[in-house]
mmCIF file of all heavy atoms in Angstrom:
data_model
loop_
_atom_site.group_PDB
_atom_site.id
_atom_site.type_symbol
_atom_site.label_atom_id
_atom_site.label_comp_id
_atom_site.label_asym_id
_atom_site.label_seq_id
_atom_site.Cartn_x
_atom_site.Cartn_y
_atom_site.Cartn_z
ATOM 1 N N GLY A 5 7.697 7.134 -0.243
ATOM 2 C CA GLY A 5 7.504 6.425 -1.507
ATOM 3 C C GLY A 5 7.448 7.436 -2.639
ATOM 4 O O GLY A 5 6.672 8.390 -2.583
ATOM 5 N N LEU A 6 8.305 7.250 -3.626
ATOM 6 C CA LEU A 6 8.331 8.141 -4.785
ATOM 7 C C LEU A 6 7.800 7.375 -5.993
ATOM 8 O O LEU A 6 8.315 6.306 -6.330
ATOM 9 C CB LEU A 6 9.764 8.612 -5.058
ATOM 10 C CG LEU A 6 9.995 9.445 -6.329
ATOM 11 C CD1 LEU A 6 9.329 10.812 -6.223
ATOM 12 C CD2 LEU A 6 11.490 9.621 -6.591
ATOM 13 N N THR A 7 6.761 7.915 -6.617
ATOM 14 C CA THR A 7 6.139 7.189 -7.724
ATOM 15 C C THR A 7 5.737 8.145 -8.833
ATOM 16 O O THR A 7 5.820 9.370 -8.683
ATOM 17 C CB THR A 7 4.923 6.366 -7.207
ATOM 18 O OG1 THR A 7 4.524 5.441 -8.204
ATOM 19 C CG2 THR A 7 3.759 7.256 -6.802
ATOM 20 N N GLY A 8 5.310 7.571 -9.947
ATOM 21 C CA GLY A 8 4.883 8.380 -11.084
ATOM 22 C C GLY A 8 4.689 7.457 -12.263
ATOM 23 O O GLY A 8 5.354 6.431 -12.371
ATOM 24 N N GLY A 9 3.777 7.812 -13.141
ATOM 25 C CA GLY A 9 3.502 6.991 -14.312
ATOM 26 C C GLY A 9 4.691 6.949 -15.254
ATOM 27 O O GLY A 9 5.620 7.759 -15.139
ATOM 28 N N ILE A 10 4.663 6.011 -16.179
ATOM 29 C CA ILE A 10 5.731 5.864 -17.158
ATOM 30 C C ILE A 10 5.927 7.191 -17.914
ATOM 31 O O ILE A 10 4.966 7.835 -18.308
ATOM 32 C CB ILE A 10 5.430 4.687 -18.124
ATOM 33 C CG1 ILE A 10 6.595 4.453 -19.080
ATOM 34 C CG2 ILE A 10 4.117 4.875 -18.877
ATOM 35 C CD1 ILE A 10 6.507 3.143 -19.834
ATOM 36 N N GLY A 11 7.182 7.630 -18.014
ATOM 37 C CA GLY A 11 7.497 8.866 -18.724
ATOM 38 C C GLY A 11 7.299 10.138 -17.914
ATOM 39 O O GLY A 11 7.536 11.242 -18.407
ATOM 40 N N SER A 12 6.890 9.996 -16.636
ATOM 41 C CA SER A 12 6.681 11.195 -15.809
ATOM 42 C C SER A 12 8.009 11.821 -15.386
ATOM 43 O O SER A 12 8.088 13.010 -15.093
ATOM 44 C CB SER A 12 5.860 10.848 -14.557
ATOM 45 O OG SER A 12 6.572 9.906 -13.761
ATOM 46 N N GLY A 13 9.059 10.995 -15.364
ATOM 47 C CA GLY A 13 10.368 11.502 -14.951
ATOM 48 C C GLY A 13 10.678 11.234 -13.492
ATOM 49 O O GLY A 13 11.443 11.953 -12.862
ATOM 50 N N LYS A 14 10.085 10.167 -12.932
ATOM 51 C CA LYS A 14 10.359 9.892 -11.513
ATOM 52 C C LYS A 14 11.829 9.561 -11.261
ATOM 53 O O LYS A 14 12.368 9.900 -10.215
ATOM 54 C CB LYS A 14 9.402 8.853 -10.936
ATOM 55 C CG LYS A 14 9.698 7.434 -11.264
ATOM 56 C CD LYS A 14 8.736 6.498 -10.553
ATOM 57 C CE LYS A 14 8.606 5.194 -11.248
ATOM 58 N NZ LYS A 14 9.826 4.534 -11.667
ATOM 59 N N SER A 15 12.483 8.929 -12.233
ATOM 60 C CA SER A 15 13.911 8.623 -12.055
ATOM 61 C C SER A 15 14.751 9.895 -12.066
ATOM 62 O O SER A 15 15.750 9.996 -11.350
ATOM 63 C CB SER A 15 14.405 7.675 -13.148
ATOM 64 O OG SER A 15 13.695 6.463 -13.045
ATOM 65 N N THR A 16 14.333 10.877 -12.853
ATOM 66 C CA THR A 16 15.014 12.183 -12.878
ATOM 67 C C THR A 16 14.866 12.855 -11.515
ATOM 68 O O THR A 16 15.827 13.396 -10.965
ATOM 69 C CB THR A 16 14.381 13.071 -13.987
ATOM 70 O OG1 THR A 16 14.504 12.385 -15.220
ATOM 71 C CG2 THR A 16 15.047 14.422 -14.084
ATOM 72 N N VAL A 17 13.656 12.806 -10.967
ATOM 73 C CA VAL A 17 13.392 13.392 -9.647
ATOM 74 C C VAL A 17 14.181 12.638 -8.568
ATOM 75 O O VAL A 17 14.772 13.239 -7.677
ATOM 76 C CB VAL A 17 11.865 13.408 -9.356
ATOM 77 C CG1 VAL A 17 11.583 13.757 -7.903
ATOM 78 C CG2 VAL A 17 11.174 14.390 -10.297
ATOM 79 N N ALA A 18 14.231 11.307 -8.685
ATOM 80 C CA ALA A 18 14.994 10.491 -7.723
ATOM 81 C C ALA A 18 16.463 10.911 -7.727
ATOM 82 O O ALA A 18 17.102 11.027 -6.673
ATOM 83 C CB ALA A 18 14.865 9.016 -8.079
ATOM 84 N N LYS A 19 17.001 11.155 -8.918
ATOM 85 C CA LYS A 19 18.398 11.578 -9.066
ATOM 86 C C LYS A 19 18.620 12.921 -8.362
ATOM 87 O O LYS A 19 19.646 13.149 -7.712
ATOM 88 C CB LYS A 19 18.721 11.685 -10.566
ATOM 89 C CG LYS A 19 20.186 11.876 -10.871
ATOM 90 C CD LYS A 19 20.440 11.699 -12.369
ATOM 91 C CE LYS A 19 21.867 12.048 -12.717
ATOM 92 N NZ LYS A 19 21.987 13.323 -13.415
ATOM 93 N N MET A 20 17.651 13.810 -8.469
ATOM 94 C CA MET A 20 17.753 15.130 -7.811
ATOM 95 C C MET A 20 17.784 14.972 -6.293
ATOM 96 O O MET A 20 18.511 15.681 -5.603
ATOM 97 C CB MET A 20 16.580 16.026 -8.235
ATOM 98 C CG MET A 20 16.655 16.469 -9.677
ATOM 99 S SD MET A 20 15.147 17.368 -10.166
ATOM 100 C CE MET A 20 15.474 17.699 -11.895
ATOM 101 N N PHE A 21 16.985 14.049 -5.775
ATOM 102 C CA PHE A 21 17.014 13.782 -4.326
ATOM 103 C C PHE A 21 18.367 13.199 -3.915
ATOM 104 O O PHE A 21 18.915 13.556 -2.884
ATOM 105 C CB PHE A 21 15.883 12.832 -3.922
ATOM 106 C CG PHE A 21 14.569 13.515 -3.653
ATOM 107 C CD1 PHE A 21 13.511 13.424 -4.557
ATOM 108 C CD2 PHE A 21 14.375 14.249 -2.493
ATOM 109 C CE1 PHE A 21 12.291 14.049 -4.314
ATOM 110 C CE2 PHE A 21 13.159 14.884 -2.236
ATOM 111 C CZ PHE A 21 12.110 14.788 -3.148
ATOM 112 N N ARG A 22 18.898 12.291 -4.754
ATOM 113 C CA ARG A 22 20.219 11.702 -4.473
ATOM 114 C C ARG A 22 21.284 12.785 -4.383
ATOM 115 O O ARG A 22 22.154 12.749 -3.530
ATOM 116 C CB ARG A 22 20.619 10.719 -5.572
ATOM 117 C CG ARG A 22 20.054 9.345 -5.386
ATOM 118 C CD ARG A 22 20.774 8.314 -6.263
ATOM 119 N NE ARG A 22 19.999 7.080 -6.286
ATOM 120 C CZ ARG A 22 19.125 6.760 -7.229
ATOM 121 N NH1 ARG A 22 18.935 7.557 -8.262
ATOM 122 N NH2 ARG A 22 18.449 5.632 -7.165
ATOM 123 N N GLU A 23 21.198 13.746 -5.301
ATOM 124 C CA GLU A 23 22.175 14.848 -5.319
ATOM 125 C C GLU A 23 22.102 15.681 -4.040
ATOM 126 O O GLU A 23 23.063 16.348 -3.678
ATOM 127 C CB GLU A 23 21.959 15.728 -6.566
ATOM 128 C CG GLU A 23 22.502 15.063 -7.832
ATOM 129 C CD GLU A 23 21.971 15.690 -9.117
ATOM 130 O OE1 GLU A 23 21.234 16.698 -9.058
ATOM 131 O OE2 GLU A 23 22.298 15.145 -10.202
ATOM 132 N N LEU A 24 20.954 15.634 -3.369
ATOM 133 C CA LEU A 24 20.802 16.349 -2.091
ATOM 134 C C LEU A 24 21.232 15.474 -0.906
ATOM 135 O O LEU A 24 21.073 15.845 0.247
ATOM 136 C CB LEU A 24 19.347 16.802 -1.915
ATOM 137 C CG LEU A 24 18.835 17.838 -2.923
ATOM 138 C CD1 LEU A 24 17.329 18.013 -2.804
ATOM 139 C CD2 LEU A 24 19.538 19.184 -2.748
ATOM 140 N N GLY A 25 21.744 14.277 -1.225
ATOM 141 C CA GLY A 25 22.262 13.386 -0.179
ATOM 142 C C GLY A 25 21.240 12.426 0.406
ATOM 143 O O GLY A 25 21.489 11.795 1.435
ATOM 144 N N VAL A 26 20.083 12.313 -0.249
ATOM 145 C CA VAL A 26 19.046 11.400 0.250
ATOM 146 C C VAL A 26 19.286 10.001 -0.326
ATOM 147 O O VAL A 26 19.417 9.849 -1.532
ATOM 148 C CB VAL A 26 17.627 11.892 -0.164
ATOM 149 C CG1 VAL A 26 16.555 10.965 0.398
ATOM 150 C CG2 VAL A 26 17.403 13.326 0.288
ATOM 151 N N PRO A 27 19.328 8.964 0.529
ATOM 152 C CA PRO A 27 19.459 7.602 -0.008
ATOM 153 C C PRO A 27 18.181 7.208 -0.749
ATOM 154 O O PRO A 27 17.082 7.330 -0.212
ATOM 155 C CB PRO A 27 19.647 6.728 1.246
ATOM 156 C CG PRO A 27 19.996 7.684 2.343
ATOM 157 C CD PRO A 27 19.332 8.975 1.997
ATOM 158 N N VAL A 28 18.329 6.787 -2.006
ATOM 159 C CA VAL A 28 17.175 6.389 -2.819
ATOM 160 C C VAL A 28 17.342 4.937 -3.242
ATOM 161 O O VAL A 28 18.378 4.552 -3.780
ATOM 162 C CB VAL A 28 17.026 7.283 -4.074
ATOM 163 C CG1 VAL A 28 15.837 6.819 -4.919
ATOM 164 C CG2 VAL A 28 16.850 8.754 -3.690
ATOM 165 N N TYR A 29 16.319 4.156 -2.976
ATOM 166 C CA TYR A 29 16.301 2.737 -3.359
ATOM 167 C C TYR A 29 15.507 2.631 -4.644
ATOM 168 O O TYR A 29 14.316 2.955 -4.676
ATOM 169 C CB TYR A 29 15.646 1.934 -2.232
ATOM 170 C CG TYR A 29 15.551 0.444 -2.466
ATOM 171 C CD1 TYR A 29 16.519 -0.415 -1.961
ATOM 172 C CD2 TYR A 29 14.474 -0.112 -3.161
ATOM 173 C CE1 TYR A 29 16.419 -1.799 -2.153
ATOM 174 C CE2 TYR A 29 14.368 -1.490 -3.358
ATOM 175 C CZ TYR A 29 15.348 -2.321 -2.850
ATOM 176 O OH TYR A 29 15.252 -3.683 -3.035
ATOM 177 N N ASP A 30 16.154 2.188 -5.711
ATOM 178 C CA ASP A 30 15.510 2.050 -7.016
ATOM 179 C C ASP A 30 14.908 0.645 -7.125
ATOM 180 O O ASP A 30 15.597 -0.323 -7.421
ATOM 181 C CB ASP A 30 16.567 2.293 -8.108
ATOM 182 C CG ASP A 30 15.991 2.214 -9.515
ATOM 183 O OD1 ASP A 30 14.911 1.615 -9.700
ATOM 184 O OD2 ASP A 30 16.630 2.756 -10.442
#
Side-chain angles (χ1 to χ4, degrees):
L6 174 68
T7 193
I10 185 167
S12 62
K14 79 176 156 47
S15 298
T16 302
V17 169
K19 190 169 173 254
M20 290 174 182
F21 275 106
R22 276 196 193 95
E23 284 164 4
L24 295 170
V26 182
V28 179
Y29 180 96
D30 182 340

